[in-house]
Every structure is written in structure tokens, then in C-alpha cells.
Amino acid sequence: MNIAKVTKNNLWVKFFSNFEQNLQNSISMYFKKAAFCLIIYAFLSGCSKKVTQQAISKPVGPKREFRAVWVATIDNIDWPSRKGLSSEIQQQDFRTLLDKQKSYGMNAVLVQVRAAADAFYARSKEPWSEWLTGEQGKAPEPYYDPMTFMIQESHQRGLEFHAWLNMNRGAHRVSKSIMDDHITKTKPEWFLTYSGYKLFNLGIPEVRAYITDIVVNIVKNYDVDGIHFDDYFYPYTEPNEKLRDEATFKKYNDGYKNIEDWRRHNVDLVVKNVSEAIRREKPKVKFGISPSGVWRNASTDPMGSATQGGQPSYDNLYADTRKWVKEGWLDYITPQIYFSFEFDKVPYKVMTDWWTKNSFGRHLYIGHGAYRVKAGSKEIGWENANQIPRQIRYNRTKPQISGSIFFSSKSLINNELSVNDSLKKIYYYPALTPTMPWKDKIPPNAPQNVKVQKVADFGVAITWELPASLPKDGDEVQGFVIYRFDENEPINLENPSKILQIVRNEGILSYTDKNHNRENSYIYVVTALDRLQNESVMSNVAKLK
């Protein structure tokens, strides 16, 4: 209602036109109208308040959802903040990074531990990374193993740790420090030079075996939850550059007549061999890849997407990403759909919908270009603060999509257009990671003897005991989910808003509920989680007496 207009038309005009004759009547009418308007205003204010409360209420979201962020170490994009920091500062910076990502609702991190045939971990035959210590081959001071540290810190916060490896780089074009005994110098025949990079020649069998050995070494020596490759296989096409691997093709063509099909075969072999090696070494370690968003355009292949992608992975990077999930070589795939809904050549919706039809029962996580979010951006759609939230909401309408990964950590921390504030609302309630029944579908047994007790002013202490026995697969309990319900409320473990906390099994079988309302009566139940977050049935019900 336009009160000013009503007042002007129905009161003041009449007031002035009949001033002498109807002064008292007009004044009376004015106050009646004003009182009516105040009543309407109060009513609308109440409605507005309700609407506002509904608008800012936190969406419950799914109980299981992969929520992760890439932590890039190449050229110190995310961590460490610069080369050559002391070990203490590196460690504190990483703790701060994890705390922030956890506060945004993340339940996993993908940390780049191999940027260019180097290492951010001690147990490696490749040298320490220059982006860690400032000089390739130089160990951290004081000495520590960064990956052991990062895994422990991540797990303490309930975050999965996926070791992200760049597969194809021997030397980056921004590399400043390369040792004399680095593999690019001791095995120069293993490398192709392209656009300032030294790239592993994937057509050489020994190269493929070397890459597999790097992965197996990590899986064997570190408690990683996953191994992750990015989108670099054969290089993105550069103008006036030629990939000179004709001699390798001639020597190792495996009967292929076409060099492009042969290159795809080489990448297939790397992916397949790594997948099989992980399963042999530790079958419950996940394996995922984040390729470029477009597999093929429909203009080239009717099975492709209705897009105009400039460098499809199949055609330009010789990466048959669709095949890898169809063959079951991957546990998850994360296409980098770094495009807005409004981008005409590769619209977010079109590309996402295509992947939902081509993930073949494996987990599909969407890679989001958080780095593109910017006020005043000239890239269509990315100047809009709602772009990322809209993408996540759209994902949640598709049962084939199991989560999101954001590039990169720094982009979220910088909080351009309040992107991390938006995530805090969307991810307000915690989420378990999605299960992988093809790897493990046997849940642990339930915790037992759950008890609750008020502890002075500290809250409600919840204690429990481990299950009396292990399940058929012998998996140890890795964590617990603590649920809280109102006393007379039906127990529904599928409602994530009832999750009080997800805690890792560190041997302390207790938790204190500090946010209870003293005037309310609650009941509590606890479930157990295994390594792949299969969840047990609930424990006994415990309530305050």
C-alpha cells in the first residue's frame, strides 16, 4: 500500500478543497485513516518479519554431501603463503587455513602435495618443493614431514585429506630452482618441452610406471583418504606450439594408426594403472580426478554436450574422462565447471546436466570457480553474489550430484562478494561424506551404553562405549555422530539439523553439549562411522533424569 498516495488523494486534496466547510470532518477522517494505515503497517511489518525470518533461516540440505576446497601450493597460490617460511609459521598458517575452511562448512581438503615432480612430504624419491622451502631439495627447518602434519590436523577437525598430485609436470615455467639431479635432467628423454614447461612424455611405458609408483608410495606411507589428479594430462593447446612426440609414437604405438588415439590410450593406461594400484595397496583409499568441464561438444560428437567449449578434454588434452567413470576406474569425478549460468558457450546448467547423465553411478562432485567471483567482473554472471549459491542449490536438485569442490582456498578466504558468508548459511548444518558401496558397504556396529549427565554450568556430558565387536570386514570405528532431539520428538537420523556433532575417534568417548536450553528436555543417541563413513544403527536412547 502507498500510504503517501492514499493520504494525498483521499485526505489532503479533500482537506484543501473543502477547508472551511469540513475542517473538523477532515481532521477526524485523517486520524481514522492514519490509524488504519498504522494497523496495516504493523500487519505488514509482522508479515515482513516472518518473510525475513524464513529467508534467512538456514537450509537443512542433505545429510551426506562432499564439501571440499582445493589448496594449491604451485607458485604459493594458497599455501604456504610464500617460500622459505619457518616450519612453525607454515604449520600455523595451515591450521588457520583449515579452521577457516571448516567454519565455511567444508568436510574435506584437497592439498597439492606434488606440483612439478617435487614433494611436500618427506617419504619421496622426488626432491622437496621450492615452493615449500625456497630451494628445491632443501628440507623444512626445523625438520618435519608436512603431509603427516597436514593429515593429522585435517583429521582432528573432521576433514578428509586428499593428496592432490599434478601428474604431467616435470618443471613449471615459473620454476626458479631445479636441482642438477632432478629427474628432468637425469632423464631428459622422458620429457617434452611445451610452452615453457617440461612435461612427462606419457607415451613411454617407464614414465607411466614412474607415475604409478609415486602414487603407491604415498598410499603406502600416509593415511590419506584419497588420491586426486587435476586436469593436466597432455597440455592445453597453445598457439604456435607443437607437441613433438612423433618419435615416441613410432616406437611405442601399440598398433595405433592415429597419434591422437594413441595419446588417449596412454592417459587411459595411467588412470587405469593408478586405480588398480591403489586398490591393491589400500582398497578403501578414494581415487578422483578433476578434468576440464567439457568432454566433447555435440557439434563434434552426438554424445557430447550442447556447448561450444574451446578445449574439450577428449580432443585437446587426450583425456577420455567419460570413459574413466564408465569403466569404474574412478571413485569420483569433479568436472571443473567454472562457468556461470549466463555464459552462452558453456552454460553452467547445460554442462552440469550433461555430467549427471554421464557419471555412471560414480560420485559426481562439481568443481566451482570461486576465484571468478568478483564485484564489477566483466565475465558475465560472476559479478553476481548469488552465482555460487545458485549453483549449489541447483546441484541439490540433482540426485546424481554428491557435492562440490571450490577453487581455491584463498578465493573463499578473501570473501569476495561475501562468498564464504553465503557458504556458511548454505552449509550451516554438518554433512557426512557420501558413501561408496562399491568400495565398502558394511557399516560398523553401534556404540553402546550411552549416558548423559548435567555438568554444573558446562552443559550436558554425553559418554558412550565402543561397540562390543567389530563388523564382518574388521573395520575399526573411525568416528561418531551425536544426535540431539527434543524429548517427545520422533527420532529421525536422516535430518542433519539434529546432528549435534561429528567427532573423530581419538579414544575420548565423550562430548559436552554446551548449547542446550536448560528449560528443554532432550534425548541423545550416538552412531559409529567407519573409514568410508558408513554409519551404524543408533545406540540406546539416553535422556536426562
Side-chain angles (χ1 to χ4, degrees):
M1 178 185 293
N2 188 326
I3 296 174
K5 185 175 180 180
V6 170
T7 303
K8 179 178 179 181
N9 291 343
N10 294 344
L11 297 177
W12 294 116
V13 171
K14 188 173 182 179
F15 176 81
F16 284 112
S17 62
N18 300 290
F19 178 80
E20 291 183 351
Q21 295 86 0
N22 299 300
L23 178 59
Q24 295 301 324
N25 289 339
S26 296
I27 293 173
S28 176
M29 183 182 295
Y30 172 82
F31 282 106
K32 289 178 181 178
K33 290 280 188 179
F36 174 75
C37 290
L38 285 172
I39 292 170
I40 293 297
Y41 174 79
F43 173 77
L44 292 176
S45 295
C47 292
S48 174
K49 185 176 181 180
K50 290 180 181 179
V51 170
T52 301
Q53 287 174 343
Q54 290 174 358
I56 65 173
S57 65
K58 310 299 186 299
V60 173
K63 178 181 174 178
R64 290 186 180 271
E65 187 173 50
F66 196 74
R67 306 169 178 175
V69 63
W70 279 290
V71 180
T73 58
I74 185 72
D75 205 22
N76 302 107
I77 291 175
D78 290 308
W79 181 87
S81 56
R82 67 176 187 273
K83 299 177 181 180
L85 296 173
S86 70
S87 298
E88 293 89 344
I89 294 176
Q90 290 175 2
Q91 291 173 1
Q92 187 52 53
D93 284 353
F94 193 75
R95 290 189 188 100
T96 300
L97 183 154
L98 291 183
D99 288 340
K100 288 182 178 180
Q101 299 305 327
K102 180 72 174 176
S103 75
Y104 308 153
M106 301 302 156
N107 56 23
V109 290
L110 293 79
V111 181
Q112 190 176 33
V113 298
R114 182 181 189 257
D118 56 3
F120 285 76
Y121 54 101
R123 297 178 185 179
S124 174
K125 59 185 177 183
E126 296 182 312
W128 288 104
S129 175
E130 70 171 280
W131 293 291
L132 181 71
T133 62
E135 180 183 338
Q136 190 177 81
K138 181 182 177 182
E141 295 179 0
Y143 184 86
Y144 79 113
D145 188 333
M147 186 142 71
T148 298
F149 164 79
M150 292 189 291
I151 291 170
Q152 291 173 346
E153 293 292 328
S154 299
H155 285 172
Q156 285 174 9
R157 292 162 175 79
L159 298 166
E160 285 193 1
F161 183 95
H162 292 228
W164 162 20
L165 291 76
N166 176 270
M167 187 184 73
N168 77 339
R169 277 197 300 259
H172 197 286
R173 58 187 172 195
V174 300
S175 298
K176 299 289 193 299
S177 173
I178 299 179
M179 300 173 63
D180 290 339
D181 60 352
H182 187 256
I183 196 168
T184 56
K185 296 182 178 180
T186 62
K187 293 279 189 182
E189 68 277 11
W190 279 15
F191 294 89
L192 303 168
T193 300
Y194 189 92
S195 190
Y197 295 93
K198 293 287 186 183
L199 304 176
F200 280 96
N201 187 343
L202 302 179
I204 300 173
E206 291 83 2
V207 166
R208 298 194 296 269
Y210 178 85
I211 292 169
T212 301
D213 287 345
I214 292 292
V215 173
V216 170
N217 175 61
I218 290 175
V219 172
K220 182 183 294 184
N221 289 297
Y222 294 93
D223 188 23
V224 295
D225 298 291
I227 293 292
H228 181 84
F229 287 167
D230 52 28
D231 56 316
Y232 296 103
F233 306 101
Y234 281 91
Y236 283 94
T237 304
E238 294 278 357
N240 305 316
E241 291 278 350
K242 182 172 175 58
L243 193 61
R244 301 193 178 278
D245 56 351
E246 297 89 348
T248 312
F249 174 57
K250 185 176 180 180
K251 185 176 181 179
Y252 299 109
N253 61 53
D254 284 346
Y256 281 86
K257 305 296 184 184
N258 182 298
I259 194 170
E260 294 187 341
D261 290 338
W262 170 74
R263 288 170 179 164
R264 276 184 285 271
H265 172 66
N266 295 333
V267 181
D268 285 350
L269 286 176
V270 171
V271 174
K272 183 175 184 288
N273 293 345
V274 166
S275 177
E276 291 174 348
I278 292 171
R279 291 175 191 176
R280 284 193 301 268
E281 187 64 39
K282 286 184 184 175
K284 294 182 181 179
V285 170
K286 303 173 183 179
F287 179 37
I289 293 179
S290 56
S292 59
V294 179
W295 172 68
R296 301 196 86 185
N297 296 309
S299 58
T300 303
D301 185 329
M303 290 193 302
S305 52
T307 54
Q308 302 172 55
Q311 297 219 33
S313 61
Y314 182 97
D315 301 290
N316 289 64
L317 281 73
Y318 307 105
D320 192 351
T321 54
R322 180 179 180 273
K323 178 180 180 179
W324 304 341
V325 282
K326 187 176 182 180
E327 294 293 331
W329 297 339
L330 302 182
D331 296 306
Y332 68 87
I333 193 162
T334 305
Q336 297 174 15
I337 308 182
Y338 294 168
F339 312 106
S340 67
F341 280 96
E342 297 80 9
F343 184 57
D344 58 345
K345 295 185 183 300
V346 188
Y348 182 84
K349 179 180 183 299
V350 171
M351 196 68 263
T352 301
D353 288 353
W354 185 88
W355 275 106
T356 65
K357 299 177 178 67
N358 290 277
S359 54
F360 301 101
R362 289 314 201 215
H363 283 180
L364 172 60
Y365 311 143
I366 303 301
H368 299 270
Y371 70 98
R372 287 189 161 172
V373 175
K374 189 173 183 179
S377 174
K378 302 303 181 184
E379 296 183 281
I380 185 168
W382 292 107
E383 77 289 354
N384 187 340
N386 194 43
Q387 185 66 228
I388 292 289
R390 184 182 170 198
Q391 291 182 3
I392 298 170
R393 288 194 296 268
Y394 186 75
N395 293 355
R396 286 178 171 178
T397 69
K398 302 293 181 179
Q400 301 91 339
I401 300 176
S402 301
S404 299
I405 307 179
F406 302 89
F407 189 84
S408 66
S409 172
K410 182 177 288 185
S411 299
L412 297 187
I413 291 171
N414 289 345
N415 203 23
E416 188 76 26
L417 293 177
S418 302
V419 65
N420 74 45
D421 296 312
S422 296
L423 291 179
K424 287 177 184 177
K425 293 177 183 177
I426 295 170
Y427 293 160
Y428 183 77
Y429 295 108
L432 299 174
T433 56
T435 58
M436 293 182 172
W438 58 90
K439 297 182 81 67
D440 178 17
K441 58 183 178 181
I442 300 174
N445 294 326
Q448 55 186 7
N449 200 22
V450 176
K451 297 178 181 178
V452 293
Q453 182 179 3
K454 283 187 178 179
V455 185
D457 294 329
F458 295 102
V460 176
I462 307 144
T463 61
W464 60 89
E465 296 175 5
L466 287 171
S469 62
L470 296 177
K472 292 179 182 179
D473 61 358
D475 273 6
E476 300 281 349
V477 173
Q478 297 290 318
F480 305 95
V481 187
I482 304 161
Y483 296 86
R484 185 182 72 185
F485 300 89
D486 292 333
E487 184 176 22
N488 298 315
E489 181 181 7
I491 295 177
N492 177 12
L493 300 188
E494 294 307 308
N495 183 353
S497 70
K498 300 303 175 181
I499 295 177
L500 185 61
Q501 190 62 268
I502 302 169
V503 297
R504 189 168 177 85
N505 182 11
E506 303 283 354
I508 302 172
L509 306 181
S510 64
Y511 179 78
T512 302
D513 177 8
K514 297 179 181 178
N515 295 317
H516 73 294
N517 186 329
R518 296 184 181 183
E519 297 179 359
N520 291 357
S521 296
Y522 299 113
I523 59 175
Y524 298 85
V525 298
V526 182
T527 61
L529 300 171
D530 65 13
R531 183 180 186 88
L532 287 172
Q533 298 220 324
N534 292 298
E535 186 178 17
S536 74
V537 297
M538 73 180 192
S539 66
N540 60 292
V541 176
K543 64 179 179 179
L544 291 172
K545 295 181 180 179

